[in-house]
């Protein structure tokens, strides 16, 4: 009987364990692995935030100032990091920079009165939040917002929150700096106390950096007074430790040579693929679209089959670039690091909230080539921070002057489009800057960002292939030998040259590591991800559309017309499809000229192509002139509720098109100019007028 009792107990125990295991699966065990567990934060040894409660995080790490950033291209993140460093070194604040998507915001009603929050917010697209700020913005602007202590919008739940705000915008866009304006308005409405005026940087006017510098000084003064802070002499305090690992060679499997995360390092890349995790996509086709030899425009087909990457017509593809070998060499040389370029280093945050921008251990060469924006414009504040590491007193004095005199900086640096290595070379007259800590370069230079291109194909026609149309960029500086080469477009040109049989691609005197880390790209693959866009065809294909896209602005419209041709071929009713496009000359740089005829043969009278070739007559003719010439037809289509699309240059073309459309509406309908402008503005508000523009 005793043996039977023991057996019964054993059986019951097994059943109990099995039952507990069944009901706790997915909570305490069998938890699905986060596909991003091996991205940046895990790969470089610093642990991801254990909590999404920002108050808890600040208490754990002893912080009294958090700088949130909403960033699309890395600039807002850079400004947040700079504010964090300056707040710490000048005022003794215990600061942390925080990605908005890393935290929840229902606990902001418990934000302590002895702490401060800063918001550095870029506006993306048509007044939208950046990808990492979407959840924050949707929460904070919700009509039925509710915080952890039960307070709603009418209860002033954020009465304990002190905040500072700076926005990054572009005055060529309709909704200039709308994110910082909206968030500021909402926070004040919820009871928060703003310190200083909200700052607004204007990329469209080219004054973003100076706007930021001009805003932050009075902001610091007001913040110091409000929080009883005492300013002290700022000294360089590294955010990261950089340790050379003599026991590791670059050939060892654990060393990152440009791989973006651990899965890529181990050769087990897997999705989902996004802005943290690229897909290494094969290039299946590449060709030159221009017929002239001094300029290049590329058409590429990227195969995404089997990746689970999907796109919709009108979306963007992101290309992850690498820096040109010539620029990597220049950077290493001026810092006196050429001999140790392949030395293995470990980079760690000296503060628990510091985020290392690339995985380590790695090498100096790999960090510079794949992760650091060494070709970017230089900020005056960064120049000033390097003065103390100059090779001699003359160079130090020059760096100090450049950092403090904005007109002198404009004359000597900005107008020349110098990158940081070029500045150091000119100021030091070729002497090496061997005293510059590598940590300050990691902190002061942006993390290299993916470049976005409007997809020039239809997902209905080729769902597994993404088309890219890109002009290879080059800026010639008047009166200077310096020629600025586009980082990504020249990288794509090198890939195209490789595909066409050139064993050593050398676009415009540049060389690229097109085979990628450990030959993983083998010269015919490129790292990409897809970003979804609101720039979309109407859901009803019978609705008329008008498209305006000169130059590479025609890219998304190739996809639009391709899709409508496929719909017509399938027997669907397709509405009037009018495309205004153009270039310099029809026989030199007219994009996809041969294709438009084939689409016309399918769409018939429902497709109308109107071209403007600016240099084929004595006076220059642009798309806005063609719009005026077709005013009657345009107005008629708009009254039939046609969608109106613009893609291309924001600062000139898009502004002119917007102005001309208002004039057309006013003149054709017998209205005042002001009323015409109002109607066009209303079209924007209902997405009847859509833009995909850049400056």
């Amino acid at each position: 009987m005793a043996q039977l009792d023991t057996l019964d107990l054993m059986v019951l125990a097994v059943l109990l364990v099995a039952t507990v295991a069944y009901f706790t699966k997915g909570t305490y065990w069998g938890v699905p692995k986060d596909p991003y567990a091996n991205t940046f934060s895990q790969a470089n040894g610093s642990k991801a935030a254990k909590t999404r409660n920002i108050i808890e995080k600040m208490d754990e790490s002893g912080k009294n100032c958090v700088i949130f950033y909403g960033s699309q291209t890395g600039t807002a993140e850079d400004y947040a990091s700079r504010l964090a460093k300056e707040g710490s070194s000048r005022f003794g604040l215990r600061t942390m920079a925080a990605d908005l998507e890393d935290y929840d915001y229902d606990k902001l009603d418990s934000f302590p009165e002895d702490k401060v929050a800063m918001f550095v917010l870029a506006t993306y697209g048509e007044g939208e939040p950046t990808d990492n700020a979407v959840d924050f913005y949707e929460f904070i602007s919700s009509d039925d917002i509710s915080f952890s202590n039960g307070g709603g919008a009418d209860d002033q739940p954020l009465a304990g929150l002190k905040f500072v705000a700076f926005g990054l915008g572009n005055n060529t866009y309709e909704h200039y700096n709308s994110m910082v304006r909206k968030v500021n308005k909402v926070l004040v409405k919820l009871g928060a106390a703003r310190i200083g005026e909200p700052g607004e940087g204007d990329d469209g006017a080219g004054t973003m950096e100076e706007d930021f510098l001009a805003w932050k000084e009075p902001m610091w003064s007001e913040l110091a007074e409000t929080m009883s802070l005492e300013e002290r002499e700022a000294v360089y305090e590294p955010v990261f430790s950089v340790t050379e690992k003599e026991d590791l060679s670059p050939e060892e499997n654990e060393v990152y040579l440009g791989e973006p995360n651990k899965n890529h390092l181990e050769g087990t890349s897997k999705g989902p693929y996004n802005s943290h995790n690229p897909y290494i996509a094969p290039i299946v086709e590449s060709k030159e679209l221009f017929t002239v030899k001094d300029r290049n425009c590329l058409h590429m087909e990227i195969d995404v089959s089997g990746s689970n990457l999907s796109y919709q017509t009108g979306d963007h593809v992101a290309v992850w670039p690498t820096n040109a070998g010539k620029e990597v060499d220049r950077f290493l040389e001026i810092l006196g690091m050429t001999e140790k370029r392949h030395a293995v280093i470990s980079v760690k945050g000296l503060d628990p909230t510091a985020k290392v921008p690339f995985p380590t251990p790695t090498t100096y060469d790999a960090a510079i080539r794949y992760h650091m924006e060494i070709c970017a414009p230089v900020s005056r504040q960064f120049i000033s921070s390097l003065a103390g590491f100059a090779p001699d007193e003359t160079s130090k004095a020059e760096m100090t002057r450049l950092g403090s005199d904005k007109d002198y900086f404009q004359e000597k640096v900005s107008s020349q489009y110098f990158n940081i290595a070029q500045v150091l070379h000119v100021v030091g007259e070729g002497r090496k800057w061997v005293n510059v800590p590598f940590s300050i370069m990691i902190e002061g230079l942006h993390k290299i960002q993916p470049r976005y291109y409007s997809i020039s194909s239809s997902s209905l026609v080729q769902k597994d292939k993404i088309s890219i149309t890109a002009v290879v960029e080059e800026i010639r500086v008047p009166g200077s030998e310096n020629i600025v080469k586009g980082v990504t477009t020249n990288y794509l040109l090198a890939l195209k040259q490789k595909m066409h049989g050139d064993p050593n691609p050398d676009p415009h005197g540049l060389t690229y590591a097109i085979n990628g880390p450990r030959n993983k790209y083998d010269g015919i693959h490129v790292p990409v991800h897809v970003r979804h866009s609101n720039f979309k065809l109407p859901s009803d294909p019978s609705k008329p559309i008008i498209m305006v896209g000169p130059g590479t602005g025609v890219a998304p419209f190739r996809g639009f017309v391709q899709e409508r041709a496929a719909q017509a071929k399938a027997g669907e009713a397709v509405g009037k499809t009018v495309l205004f496009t153009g270039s310099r000359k029809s026989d030199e740089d007219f994009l996809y000229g041969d294709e438009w005829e084939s689409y016309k043969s399918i769409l018939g009278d429902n497709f109308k192509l109107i071209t403007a070739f600016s240099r084929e007559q004595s006076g220059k003719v642009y798309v806005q002139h063609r719009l005026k010439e077709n005013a009657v037809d345009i107005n008629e289509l708009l009254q039939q509720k046609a969608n109106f699309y613009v893609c291309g240059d924001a600062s000139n073309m898009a502004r002119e098109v917007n102005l001309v459309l208002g004039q057309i509406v006013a003149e054709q309908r017998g209205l005042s100019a002001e009323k015409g402008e109002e109607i066009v503005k209303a079209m924007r508000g209902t997405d009847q007028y859509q833009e995909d523009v850049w400056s």
Side-chain angles (χ1 to χ4, degrees), residues 602-651:
I602 299 169
L603 290 164
D605 291 340
N606 277 328
F607 179 57
K608 187 174 183 181
L609 177 69
I610 300 163
T611 55
F613 300 111
S614 62
R615 301 189 184 183
E616 288 193 347
Q617 56 281 310
S618 56
K620 291 186 177 179
V621 175
Y622 298 111
V623 287
Q624 53 266 35
H625 300 127
R626 297 299 190 217
L627 285 170
K628 285 183 179 179
E629 292 169 7
N630 290 270
V632 174
D633 291 343
I634 289 172
N635 180 58
E636 199 173 290
L637 288 171
L638 291 179
Q639 289 185 314
Q640 295 171 25
K641 301 301 180 185
N643 274 14
F644 191 88
Y645 301 91
V646 182
C647 182
D649 167 50
S651 56

Side-chain angles (χ1 to χ4, degrees), residues 174-199:
E174 171 78 5
H175 303 281
Y176 173 60
N177 259 313
S178 67
M179 271 303 294
V180 74
R181 294 177 181 182
K182 290 175 183 174
V183 169
N184 169 63
K185 188 176 179 180
V186 169
L187 291 176
V188 170
K189 182 182 176 184
L190 294 172
R194 190 187 65 243
I195 298 170
E197 290 301 311

Side-chain angles (χ1 to χ4, degrees), residues 75-321:
T75 308
E77 181 178 359
D78 175 58
Y79 283 177
S81 298
R82 285 161 62 179
L83 288 171
K85 273 187 69 70
E86 193 170 355
S88 173
S89 62
R90 278 181 65 185
F91 298 97
L93 283 165
R94 300 182 301 280
T95 59
M96 64 176 284
D99 189 329
L100 277 168
E101 69 180 355
D102 287 346
Y103 297 94
D104 298 324
Y105 296 94
D106 59 329
K107 300 286 197 305
L108 282 181
D109 58 341
S110 301
F111 203 88
E113 293 187 7
D114 62 346
K115 302 183 192 295
V116 64
M118 299 186 182
F119 294 88
V120 183
L121 304 169
T123 297
Y124 165 63
E126 291 300 293
E128 301 154 25
T130 55
D131 292 347
N132 73 317
V134 170
D135 290 345
F136 164 73
Y137 181 68
E138 287 180 351
F139 172 79
I140 207 75
S141 59
S142 171
D143 290 335
D144 57 352
I145 191 169
S146 177
F147 289 92
S148 60
N149 293 326
D154 298 330
D155 303 314
Q156 300 261 294
L158 301 187
L161 175 67
K162 296 184 184 73
F163 78 97
V164 165
F166 182 80
L168 294 82
N170 186 315
N171 71 13
T172 62
Y173 288 69
E174 171 78 5
H175 303 281
Y176 173 60
N177 259 313
S178 67
M179 271 303 294
V180 74
R181 294 177 181 182
K182 290 175 183 174
V183 169
N184 169 63
K185 188 176 179 180
V186 169
L187 291 176
V188 170
K189 182 182 176 184
L190 294 172
R194 190 187 65 243
I195 298 170
E197 290 301 311
E200 294 188 355
D202 186 1
D203 193 42
T207 58
M208 180 74 77
E209 178 68 17
E210 292 302 330
D211 293 338
F212 174 70
L213 296 179
W215 163 80
K216 73 180 181 64
E217 287 309 315
M219 179 277 292
W220 283 129
S221 296
E222 292 201 40
L223 184 63
E225 184 178 342
T226 302
M227 296 188 69
S228 302
L229 304 174
E230 289 188 15
E231 186 171 359
R232 60 191 187 185
E233 184 180 354
V235 294
Y236 174 61
E237 298 172 349
V239 174
F240 305 111
S241 68
V242 180
T243 308
E244 294 184 8
K245 308 290 286 184
E246 295 181 3
D247 57 323
L248 286 176
S249 75
E251 288 77 27
E252 294 191 43
N253 292 336
E254 67 189 271
V255 177
Y256 291 83
L257 298 181
E259 295 90 349
N261 56 49
K262 195 171 183 181
N263 285 336
H264 283 267
L265 177 68
E266 295 175 344
T268 57
S269 167
K270 58 185 178 182
Y273 298 107
N274 58 19
S275 59
H276 301 290
N277 185 39
Y279 174 61
I280 311 303
I283 304 167
V284 294
E285 182 187 335
S286 64
K287 64 181 179 181
E288 175 64 55
L289 296 176
F290 287 173
T291 60
V292 289
K293 291 185 177 180
D294 61 335
R295 294 185 296 137
N296 299 93
C297 184
L298 307 175
H299 175 88
M300 285 188 160
E301 298 282 343
I302 310 296
D303 187 353
V304 294
S305 57
S307 67
N308 282 330
L309 272 178
S310 64
Y311 77 99
Q312 291 181 312
T313 309
D315 282 346
H316 300 134
V317 62
V319 175
W320 292 46

Side-chain angles (χ1 to χ4, degrees), residues 387 389-398 427-429 431-433 435:
F389 305 105
D392 54 64
E393 289 302 315
T394 303
S395 300
K396 181 178 180 179
E398 179 70 357
V427 171
E429 297 180 340
R431 286 184 288 276
K432 292 181 173 59
W433 293 61
N435 296 321

